[in-house]
Amino acid sequence: MVRTTLGHSVRGRAIEAVHIDSAGARRAVLVVGCVHGNEPAGIAIARRLDRERRPGLDLWVIDDLNPDGVAADTRQNADRVDLNRNFPEHWRPIGHPGDQQYSGPHALSEPESRIADALIERLRPAVSIWFHQPLDVVDQSGGDPGVERRFAALSGLPLRRLTRYPGSAVGWQDQTLPGTTAFVVELPGGRLTHGEIDRYARAVVALAG
Ligand SMILES: [Zn+2]
Protein backbone atom coordinates (compact mmCIF):
# COMPACT_ATOMS: atom_id res chain seq x y z
CA MET A 1 0.00 0.00 0.00
CA VAL A 2 1.36 3.38 -0.99
CA ARG A 3 -0.14 6.66 0.21
CA THR A 4 0.49 9.72 -1.96
CA THR A 5 -0.51 13.33 -1.57
CA LEU A 6 -2.18 14.32 -4.82
CA GLY A 7 -2.53 17.99 -3.96
CA HIS A 8 -4.32 20.37 -1.63
CA SER A 9 -7.81 21.77 -1.18
CA VAL A 10 -8.68 25.48 -1.33
CA ARG A 11 -7.91 25.75 2.42
CA GLY A 12 -4.66 23.80 2.06
CA ARG A 13 -5.83 20.43 3.37
CA ALA A 14 -3.96 17.46 1.83
CA ILE A 15 -5.89 15.27 -0.58
CA GLU A 16 -4.39 11.81 -0.58
CA ALA A 17 -4.72 8.63 -2.58
CA VAL A 18 -3.96 5.14 -1.38
CA HIS A 19 -2.81 2.69 -4.03
CA ILE A 20 -3.19 -1.03 -3.38
CA ASP A 21 -1.26 -2.77 -6.12
CA SER A 22 -1.00 -6.52 -5.79
CA ALA A 23 0.26 -9.28 -8.05
CA GLY A 24 -2.08 -10.44 -10.77
CA ALA A 25 -4.06 -7.21 -11.00
CA ARG A 26 -5.97 -6.84 -14.25
CA ARG A 27 -7.48 -3.38 -14.22
CA ALA A 28 -7.31 -0.14 -12.27
CA VAL A 29 -10.30 0.67 -10.10
CA LEU A 30 -10.80 4.05 -8.45
CA VAL A 31 -12.94 4.75 -5.39
CA VAL A 32 -13.77 8.27 -4.23
CA GLY A 33 -15.21 8.14 -0.72
CA CYS A 34 -16.60 11.66 -0.65
CA VAL A 35 -17.03 14.62 -3.03
CA HIS A 36 -20.01 16.39 -1.43
CA GLY A 37 -18.81 17.40 2.04
CA ASN A 38 -22.15 16.85 3.75
CA GLU A 39 -22.34 13.29 2.35
CA PRO A 40 -19.34 11.74 4.12
CA ALA A 41 -20.48 8.15 4.81
CA GLY A 42 -18.34 6.69 2.00
CA ILE A 43 -15.15 7.83 3.77
CA ALA A 44 -15.53 4.92 6.20
CA ILE A 45 -15.76 2.49 3.25
CA ALA A 46 -12.71 4.08 1.64
CA ARG A 47 -10.72 3.77 4.88
CA ARG A 48 -11.67 0.11 5.14
CA LEU A 49 -10.46 -0.39 1.56
CA ASP A 50 -7.15 1.37 2.38
CA ARG A 51 -6.26 -1.68 4.49
CA GLU A 52 -7.27 -4.25 1.86
CA ARG A 53 -4.55 -6.80 1.07
CA ARG A 54 -6.26 -9.23 -1.27
CA PRO A 55 -4.30 -10.34 -4.37
CA GLY A 56 -5.37 -9.28 -7.83
CA LEU A 57 -6.20 -5.67 -6.95
CA ASP A 58 -5.07 -2.46 -8.62
CA LEU A 59 -7.16 -0.22 -6.42
CA TRP A 60 -6.84 3.53 -6.00
CA VAL A 61 -8.73 5.09 -3.13
CA ILE A 62 -9.28 8.78 -2.46
CA ASP A 63 -10.85 8.77 0.99
CA ASP A 64 -12.01 12.38 0.75
CA LEU A 65 -11.82 14.68 -2.29
CA ASN A 66 -13.51 17.56 -0.44
CA PRO A 67 -11.91 17.85 3.02
CA ASP A 68 -12.88 21.53 3.39
CA GLY A 69 -16.51 20.66 2.71
CA VAL A 70 -16.39 17.80 5.21
CA ALA A 71 -14.84 20.07 7.86
CA ALA A 72 -17.56 22.68 7.29
CA ASP A 73 -20.35 20.13 6.69
CA THR A 74 -21.18 21.73 3.34
CA ARG A 75 -21.92 20.12 0.02
CA GLN A 76 -19.57 22.54 -1.75
CA ASN A 77 -15.86 23.21 -1.36
CA ALA A 78 -14.47 26.31 0.40
CA ASP A 79 -15.03 28.38 -2.78
CA ARG A 80 -18.72 27.40 -2.47
CA VAL A 81 -18.52 25.40 -5.71
CA ASP A 82 -20.34 22.11 -6.18
CA LEU A 83 -17.35 20.03 -7.31
CA ASN A 84 -19.65 17.54 -8.99
CA ARG A 85 -20.76 20.26 -11.43
CA ASN A 86 -17.21 21.49 -12.09
CA PHE A 87 -15.98 18.76 -14.48
CA PRO A 88 -15.49 19.53 -18.19
CA GLU A 89 -18.05 17.38 -19.97
CA HIS A 90 -21.03 19.60 -20.86
CA TRP A 91 -19.94 22.06 -18.16
CA ARG A 92 -22.17 25.10 -18.06
CA PRO A 93 -22.72 27.95 -15.63
CA ILE A 94 -25.17 26.93 -12.92
CA GLY A 95 -26.21 29.23 -10.08
CA HIS A 96 -24.12 31.61 -8.01
CA PRO A 97 -21.67 31.18 -5.16
CA GLY A 98 -23.57 29.63 -2.28
CA ASP A 99 -26.21 28.05 -4.48
CA GLN A 100 -26.64 24.34 -3.96
CA GLN A 101 -25.28 23.39 -7.40
CA TYR A 102 -23.05 26.40 -8.21
CA SER A 103 -20.78 25.03 -10.96
CA GLY A 104 -17.92 27.55 -10.53
CA PRO A 105 -16.56 30.24 -12.87
CA HIS A 106 -15.40 27.65 -15.43
CA ALA A 107 -14.77 23.92 -15.74
CA LEU A 108 -12.01 22.65 -13.45
CA SER A 109 -11.79 26.01 -11.68
CA GLU A 110 -11.27 24.21 -8.34
CA PRO A 111 -8.10 22.51 -7.06
CA GLU A 112 -10.12 19.50 -5.88
CA SER A 113 -11.65 18.81 -9.30
CA ARG A 114 -8.28 19.37 -11.00
CA ILE A 115 -6.72 16.79 -8.65
CA ALA A 116 -9.34 14.20 -9.63
CA ASP A 117 -9.04 15.12 -13.31
CA ALA A 118 -5.25 14.70 -13.29
CA LEU A 119 -5.36 11.32 -11.55
CA ILE A 120 -8.13 9.99 -13.78
CA GLU A 121 -6.44 11.17 -16.98
CA ARG A 122 -3.28 9.38 -15.82
CA LEU A 123 -4.89 6.11 -14.66
CA ARG A 124 -7.87 5.86 -17.00
CA PRO A 125 -9.48 3.53 -14.44
CA ALA A 126 -11.59 0.75 -15.92
CA VAL A 127 -14.11 1.27 -13.12
CA SER A 128 -14.65 4.30 -10.87
CA ILE A 129 -17.04 4.42 -7.95
CA TRP A 130 -18.05 7.77 -6.48
CA PHE A 131 -19.89 7.62 -3.14
CA HIS A 132 -22.68 10.05 -2.33
CA GLN A 133 -25.69 10.12 0.03
CA PRO A 134 -28.55 9.70 0.87
CA LEU A 135 -30.69 8.10 -1.87
CA ASP A 136 -29.81 4.45 -1.16
CA VAL A 137 -29.40 3.37 -4.80
CA VAL A 138 -26.75 2.58 -7.38
CA ASP A 139 -27.17 5.22 -10.07
CA GLN A 140 -27.16 4.00 -13.64
CA SER A 141 -24.71 6.73 -14.55
CA GLY A 142 -23.92 6.14 -18.23
CA GLY A 143 -21.09 3.61 -18.31
CA ASP A 144 -21.45 -0.14 -18.82
CA PRO A 145 -24.80 -0.99 -17.21
CA GLY A 146 -23.56 -4.55 -16.62
CA VAL A 147 -20.88 -3.24 -14.26
CA GLU A 148 -23.39 -1.06 -12.41
CA ARG A 149 -25.84 -3.97 -12.20
CA ARG A 150 -23.13 -6.22 -10.80
CA PHE A 151 -22.25 -3.68 -8.09
CA ALA A 152 -25.93 -3.29 -7.27
CA ALA A 153 -26.26 -7.06 -6.84
CA LEU A 154 -23.07 -7.28 -4.75
CA SER A 155 -24.01 -4.37 -2.49
CA GLY A 156 -27.72 -5.12 -2.16
CA LEU A 157 -28.70 -1.65 -3.42
CA PRO A 158 -31.29 -1.23 -6.17
CA LEU A 159 -30.14 0.09 -9.56
CA ARG A 160 -31.95 3.26 -10.66
CA ARG A 161 -31.33 5.89 -13.24
CA LEU A 162 -31.10 9.28 -11.52
CA THR A 163 -31.01 12.70 -13.21
CA ARG A 164 -27.76 13.31 -15.09
CA TYR A 165 -26.28 16.75 -14.45
CA PRO A 166 -23.82 18.72 -16.60
CA GLY A 167 -20.31 18.93 -15.19
CA SER A 168 -20.56 15.77 -13.10
CA ALA A 169 -17.47 13.66 -12.57
CA VAL A 170 -19.04 10.37 -13.69
CA GLY A 171 -20.63 11.98 -16.76
CA TRP A 172 -17.27 13.40 -17.77
CA GLN A 173 -15.53 10.03 -17.32
CA ASP A 174 -18.20 8.01 -19.09
CA GLN A 175 -18.26 10.42 -22.03
CA THR A 176 -14.56 11.02 -22.48
CA LEU A 177 -12.95 7.70 -21.53
CA PRO A 178 -14.57 5.11 -23.78
CA GLY A 179 -14.57 1.55 -22.50
CA THR A 180 -14.48 2.67 -18.88
CA THR A 181 -17.33 2.86 -16.39
CA ALA A 182 -17.77 5.50 -13.69
CA PHE A 183 -20.87 5.46 -11.53
CA VAL A 184 -22.40 6.99 -8.44
CA VAL A 185 -23.34 4.95 -5.41
CA GLU A 186 -25.85 6.81 -3.27
CA LEU A 187 -25.50 5.42 0.24
CA PRO A 188 -28.30 5.75 2.77
CA GLY A 189 -28.35 8.87 4.98
CA GLY A 190 -26.54 9.10 8.29
CA ARG A 191 -23.61 6.98 9.43
CA LEU A 192 -23.13 3.44 8.20
CA THR A 193 -23.06 0.52 10.62
CA HIS A 194 -19.92 -1.64 10.76
CA GLY A 195 -21.87 -4.32 8.90
CA GLU A 196 -22.77 -1.90 6.11
CA ILE A 197 -19.19 -0.64 5.83
CA ASP A 198 -18.06 -4.28 5.47
CA ARG A 199 -20.73 -5.08 2.91
CA TYR A 200 -19.93 -2.12 0.64
CA ALA A 201 -16.18 -2.61 0.96
CA ARG A 202 -16.59 -6.30 0.05
CA ALA A 203 -18.71 -5.32 -2.95
CA VAL A 204 -15.95 -2.98 -4.18
CA VAL A 205 -13.28 -5.67 -3.74
CA ALA A 206 -15.41 -8.28 -5.54
CA LEU A 207 -15.98 -5.90 -8.45
CA ALA A 208 -12.31 -4.86 -8.55
CA GLY A 209 -10.77 -8.34 -8.27
ZN1 LIG B 1 -23.84 14.05 -3.68
Side-chain angles (χ1 to χ4, degrees):
M1 183 267 262
V2 179
R3 188 180 289 272
T4 329
T5 299
L6 301 173
H8 294 84
S9 68
V10 171
R11 294 269 184 266
R13 291 185 168 92
I15 295 174
E16 297 181 324
V18 166
H19 185 202
I20 297 128
D21 189 11
S22 52
R26 289 178 299 132
R27 54 180 190 174
V29 172
L30 171 68
V31 172
V32 180
C34 177
V35 57
H36 286 146
N38 58 352
E39 303 171 7
I43 294 173
I45 302 168
R47 287 186 178 144
R48 178 72 49 91
L49 291 168
D50 292 348
R51 306 197 305 263
E52 188 58 55
R53 292 290 176 276
R54 210 157 310 199
L57 292 179
D58 181 3
L59 185 62
W60 289 79
V61 183
I62 300 176
D63 291 2
D64 182 2
L65 186 62
N66 185 7
D68 296 345
V70 170
D73 190 25
T74 59
R75 173 183 176 93
Q76 302 89 345
N77 73 347
D79 285 338
R80 301 195 284 171
V81 173
D82 181 342
L83 298 172
N84 205 34
R85 302 290 178 272
N86 193 236
F87 285 84
E89 185 66 15
H90 292 121
W91 181 91
R92 61 177 177 81
I94 302 172
H96 301 281
D99 286 352
Q100 185 77 323
Q101 299 192 24
Y102 174 51
S103 60
H106 55 83
L108 298 180
S109 59
E110 303 310 301
E112 297 89 350
S113 40
R114 286 197 298 275
I115 284 166
D117 172 271
L119 184 70
I120 289 163
E121 293 277 9
R122 180 157 69 86
L123 299 179
R124 298 185 162 254
V127 176
S128 302
I129 301 171
W130 291 73
F131 284 110
H132 289 254
Q133 287 180 276
L135 300 178
D136 213 5
V137 297
V138 175
D139 177 22
Q140 199 174 322
S141 305
D144 178 349
V147 174
E148 295 159 333
R149 202 175 302 122
R150 174 128 196 273
F151 188 85
L154 288 164
S155 65
L157 293 172
L159 181 66
R160 295 272 154 70
R161 182 174 166 164
L162 303 175
T163 308
R164 294 180 185 174
Y165 294 97
S168 80
V170 295
W172 163 68
Q173 290 185 253
D174 286 327
Q175 294 299 312
T176 60
L177 301 173
T180 73
T181 295
F183 60 96
V184 164
V185 175
E186 282 271 353
L187 299 164
R191 291 168 67 120
L192 300 175
T193 65
H194 289 294
E196 287 171 322
I197 295 166
D198 274 342
R199 175 153 53 89
Y200 295 120
R202 275 200 307 268
V204 171
V205 169
L207 193 71

